[in-house]
Amino acid sequence: MAPHAETDSGSANGDGRFSGENTTTSPASNGNLFVVSSPNVVYTDSEILSKYTYRTTSVTQNGAGKYVATPKETVYDFKVDRKIPKVGMMLVGWGGNNGTTVTAGIIANRRGLVWETREGPRAANYYGSVIMGSTMKLGTDPQTMKEVNIPFHDVLPMVHPNDLVIGGWDISGMNLANAMDRAAVLEPTLKAQVKKEMAQMVPLPSIYYPDFIAANQEDRADNLIPGSKASTAHVEKIRQDIRDFKAQNNLDKVIVQWTANTERYADIIPNVNDTAENLLKAIEQGHEEVSPSTVFAVACILEKTPFINGSPQNTFVPGAVELAEQHGAFIGGDDFKSGQTKMKSALVDFLISAGIKLTSIASYNHLGNNDGKNLSSQRQFRSKEISKSNVVDDMVEANSVLYKKGEHPDHTVVIKYMPAVGDNKRALDEYYAEIFLGGHQTISLFNVCEDSLLASPLIIDLVLVTEMMTRIGWRQSSQAEYRGFHSVLSILSYMLKAPLTPPGTPVVNALAKQRGALTNIFRACVGLEPESDMTLEHKLF
Ligand SMILES: NC(=O)c1ccc[n+]([C@@H]2O[C@H](COP(=O)([O-])OP(=O)(O)OC[C@H]3O[C@@H](n4cnc5c(N)ncnc54)[C@H](O)[C@@H]3O)[C@@H](O)[C@H]2O)c1
Ligand SMILES: O=P([O-])([O-])O[C@@H]1[C@@H](O)[C@H](O)[C@@H](O)[C@H](O)[C@@H]1O
């Protein structure tokens, strides 16, 4: 690859900051903060081209049953489209606690709002967003030997959330200002500053198949597309809604997220939803087992609009995954990982990788929002119980020193609906473990999660990362065409409880590994090695 060249429109300033072009209204999205000086990285007006050597270790077993570890190198070419597009975020369940909260939060940030609270003034921020609120190590200053860390958002030319155009659907026709009041999440002094704008926002009518969510949701359902089961007409209506939203707002692309109620699991039925062809036929025939979320997924796939499932149900039945692969459309899920489970995946990772034998997890919470009301119905709770329970599997299976094959900690999940606490979920967890010489360690946690304020930044991260993935191409040899990543975006796993992965690939739930994958894939796209904590430069001199 030719030595890296900076074009006039993207040149390093005197201080080495790279002032990229295609700036938008938001300062933080104003190109990259840095430039990579490498023969493997080329900056053009429209692209970042990098050659990346991916180093892994292939492990086999020899005749004597001994592992043989062989270092492997694969050279990839990555291409990043540097033009930051105008992006729409369409939420299914826009009138819910998460939908109203994330909408108010983006408006507050866009306008730089400050509001009074009992503890004094508070200013809009994106805390809790890994992309907007965290940093990554770029490298080390050779003079000072100190780490240089940059905002995560600056590693690639990503969209700024302030620039997102927001819309969506809800079975409740309440405008966003009244729905924000219904959610009872935000301070009145903040609501007062955004309610005028939000009162103009009214969710599009949506599809409602009563059997998939709790019966106690029926009283909200006053904003419906006719029809109480799947149909091709429903798919086409949703596709048209997406096209209309894109045209009305002059958007380059749209990302759709499901933040509507948790549905019951759909049965996987041969000749119904097991293949793409059967699923489309089942929808055409109005099969009762096709859920609203799967209809939305199919509509988005056919519209080549990325679709992310923020709830725990099995939206992506095998036929939906196959359809996404056939159409080269991005899908991702499942179930935002906001508070109790995020803590669990970090704590379990720490305990087991410290050689402490976790033997039981009691995971209880109660909450009083509409999500909790929906989950008070057993079939909807079951969807959540699955996503909250499976999050430790990979960490347990990876440690054969502590756990025999098939052995795992006891794990129970309890969720109770207690209206009085509203959106401020109380999570009570007990982690019980065996330690040295028959000892025990008991960790009890009381974790008050303001659920929508924790989930809303994840909705933003999912949109920003998904949109970025639509602008990244890869190939394995210079003769090949660039392609997109696999349709199933497992790179999103850090934000999700039950990560969806390409068929046949393993699920990684360990939080540090998930963040490492996100960080290092984005670094690779600008030709940088994975973050290494070896710091040999501080040890070998
Ligand atoms: N907030 C969190 O911490 C968190 C974390 C993980 C997952 N989740 C999941 O996110 C989802 C939303 O959470 P929430 O607190 O905003 O719930 P919510 O009940 O306040 O909002 C859900 C919204 O979806 C609407 N809806 C239901 N069915 C619909 C359909 N078919 N089409 C369009 N709209 C529909 C409802 O009217 C409601 O306004 C839930 O499934 C929840 O389990 C939330
Ligand atoms: O905090 P977390 O484990 O990510 O998950 C939350 C659950 O604890 C809560 O009971 C449920 O109502 C929310 O939708 C969310 O799933």
Side-chain angles (χ1 to χ4, degrees):
M1 172 175 288
H4 87 284
E6 286 162 12
T7 58
D8 295 343
S9 61
S11 57
N13 301 329
D15 65 2
R17 287 171 57 87
F18 185 75
S19 56
E21 71 289 359
N22 304 318
T23 53
T24 68
T25 53
S26 308
S29 65
N30 184 11
N32 281 331
L33 192 61
F34 65 95
V35 61
V36 176
S37 172
S38 159
N40 293 323
V41 181
V42 173
Y43 293 87
T44 71
D45 279 346
S46 56
E47 294 167 338
I48 303 171
L49 300 167
S50 66
K51 186 172 290 298
Y52 178 79
T53 301
Y54 176 54
R55 295 183 174 84
T56 54
T57 305
S58 169
V59 178
T60 55
Q61 272 189 298
N62 64 18
K66 181 173 285 190
Y67 287 130
V68 178
T70 309
K72 240 183 97 186
E73 290 191 353
T74 309
V75 179
Y76 290 107
D77 293 339
F78 287 115
K79 176 171 68 170
V80 175
D81 174 356
R82 300 176 66 191
K83 178 168 171 36
I84 297 175
K86 188 179 177 188
V87 176
M89 172 174 76
M90 294 188 83
L91 300 177
V92 189
W94 192 23
N97 283 30
N98 286 350
T100 53
T101 302
V102 71
T103 301
I106 288 173
I107 293 170
N109 274 285
R110 183 184 297 149
R111 289 167 45 193
L113 297 183
V114 177
W115 59 94
E116 277 304 322
T117 73
R118 285 180 297 183
E119 292 91 23
R122 287 293 178 272
N125 63 54
Y126 282 116
Y127 297 168
S129 157
V130 73
I131 302 297
M132 301 304 295
S134 84
T135 61
M136 80 162 67
K137 172 182 164 187
L138 180 60
T140 306
D141 182 321
Q143 307 303 325
T144 64
M145 303 271 268
K146 284 189 175 169
E147 279 191 9
V148 176
N149 292 285
I150 60 168
F152 205 112
H153 185 260
D154 283 311
V155 68
L156 288 176
M158 283 192 257
V159 168
H160 193 288
N162 288 358
D163 301 328
L164 291 174
V165 178
I166 309 170
W169 303 262
D170 203 296
I171 57 174
S172 163
M174 195 177 277
N175 72 54
L176 266 284
N178 294 340
M180 174 174 59
D181 286 336
R182 175 176 61 185
V185 172
L186 299 173
E187 294 275 357
T189 47
L190 167 56
K191 291 196 295 181
Q193 297 187 58
V194 298
K195 72 185 322 176
K196 184 162 182 260
E197 189 170 346
M198 289 179 71
Q200 306 308 310
M201 300 173 177
V202 178
L204 293 166
S206 187
I207 53 177
Y208 174 54
Y209 310 162
D211 188 53
F212 280 92
I213 59 176
N216 61 36
Q217 297 300 307
E218 193 172 1
D219 56 1
R220 291 170 84 102
D222 60 10
N223 187 38
L224 307 180
I225 298 170
S228 59
K229 57 186 180 177
S231 68
T232 305
H234 283 175
V235 171
E236 291 311 313
K237 175 65 172 67
I238 292 164
R239 293 182 68 182
Q240 189 58 52
D241 288 345
I242 294 168
R243 289 196 289 267
D244 291 348
F245 183 73
K246 196 171 175 181
Q248 287 151 13
N249 294 285
N250 191 29
L251 299 172
D252 296 311
K253 65 184 77 171
V254 170
I255 312 281
V256 177
Q257 283 199 55
W258 177 276
T259 182
N261 285 125
T262 292
E263 298 172 331
R264 68 168 173 79
Y265 258 51
D267 296 334
I268 304 305
I269 308 171
N271 302 317
V272 173
N273 51 21
D274 54 344
T275 68
E277 184 185 0
N278 289 337
L279 178 58
L280 292 175
K281 201 187 312 167
I283 290 171
E284 190 181 340
Q285 294 166 350
H287 198 285
E288 305 275 354
E289 205 51 21
V290 180
S291 69
S293 64
T294 297
V295 167
F296 266 96
V298 167
C300 290
I301 291 165
L302 296 178
E303 206 54 34
K304 287 208 77 170
T305 297
F307 180 81
I308 309 302
N309 175 30
S311 295
Q313 72 275 347
N314 63 336
T315 300
F316 300 117
V317 294
V321 175
E322 185 180 70
L323 189 68
E325 291 173 321
Q326 289 173 354
H327 289 259
F330 280 141
I331 58 175
D334 298 307
D335 207 6
F336 307 126
K337 183 165 59 194
S338 55
Q340 186 175 39
T341 302
K342 189 175 256 177
M343 183 69 77
K344 182 184 293 179
S345 60
L347 193 55
V348 170
D349 192 13
F350 139 58
L351 288 169
I352 293 179
S353 57
I356 292 173
K357 184 171 184 176
L358 185 62
T359 53
S360 86
I361 306 169
S363 185
Y364 162 95
N365 78 65
H366 63 262
L367 73 169
N369 57 18
N370 189 57
D371 178 26
K373 182 178 177 185
N374 180 60
L375 291 172
S376 67
S377 165
Q378 177 55 33
R379 294 192 302 172
Q380 284 64 39
F381 163 71
R382 180 60 188 140
S383 297
K384 189 67 76 170
E385 183 181 35
I386 292 168
S387 68
K388 287 174 72 80
S389 302
N390 294 350
V391 76
V392 303
D393 296 350
D394 60 316
M395 293 170 261
V396 170
E397 282 158 24
N399 191 320
S400 58
V401 173
L402 296 176
Y403 301 98
K404 293 193 273 307
K405 193 160 179 56
E407 183 186 9
H408 52 78
D410 300 336
H411 191 177
T412 189
V413 171
V414 177
I415 298 175
K416 292 298 178 191
Y417 176 50
M418 303 275 272
V421 302
D423 202 71
N424 302 329
K425 178 192 66 217
R426 268 81 170 139
L428 291 89
D429 293 80
E430 182 195 84
Y431 295 82
Y432 189 59
E434 292 175 17
I435 59 177
F436 194 47
L437 300 185
H440 287 93
Q441 180 169 16
T442 304
I443 299 172
S444 295
L445 289 179
F446 180 68
N447 178 6
V448 177
C449 307
E450 296 188 305
D451 263 5
S452 299
L453 294 173
L454 288 171
S456 294
L458 305 182
I459 291 175
I460 291 168
D461 284 341
L462 287 162
V463 168
L464 299 187
V465 174
T466 300
E467 191 286 319
M468 191 67 241
M469 294 307 290
T470 68
R471 286 187 282 132
I472 296 172
W474 69 275
R475 66 185 183 188
Q476 220 177 318
S477 83
S478 56
Q479 287 74 36
E481 281 297 307
Y482 283 96
R483 300 159 56 193
F485 276 61
H486 186 278
S487 288
V488 179
L489 289 176
S490 51
I491 193 173
L492 301 174
S493 62
Y494 182 81
M495 285 75 79
L496 297 160
K497 289 195 195 66
L500 196 67
T501 62
T505 64
V507 174
V508 174
N509 276 301
L511 198 64
K513 286 184 178 179
Q514 293 174 332
R515 192 181 192 279
L518 177 61
T519 304
N520 292 324
I521 287 171
F522 277 17
R523 290 171 64 88
C525 289
V526 286
L528 292 175
E529 290 297 308
E531 268 185 348
S532 159
D533 296 316
M534 295 167 69
T535 59
L536 291 182
E537 65 274 18
H538 301 161
K539 298 176 173 70
L540 305 179
F541 66 97

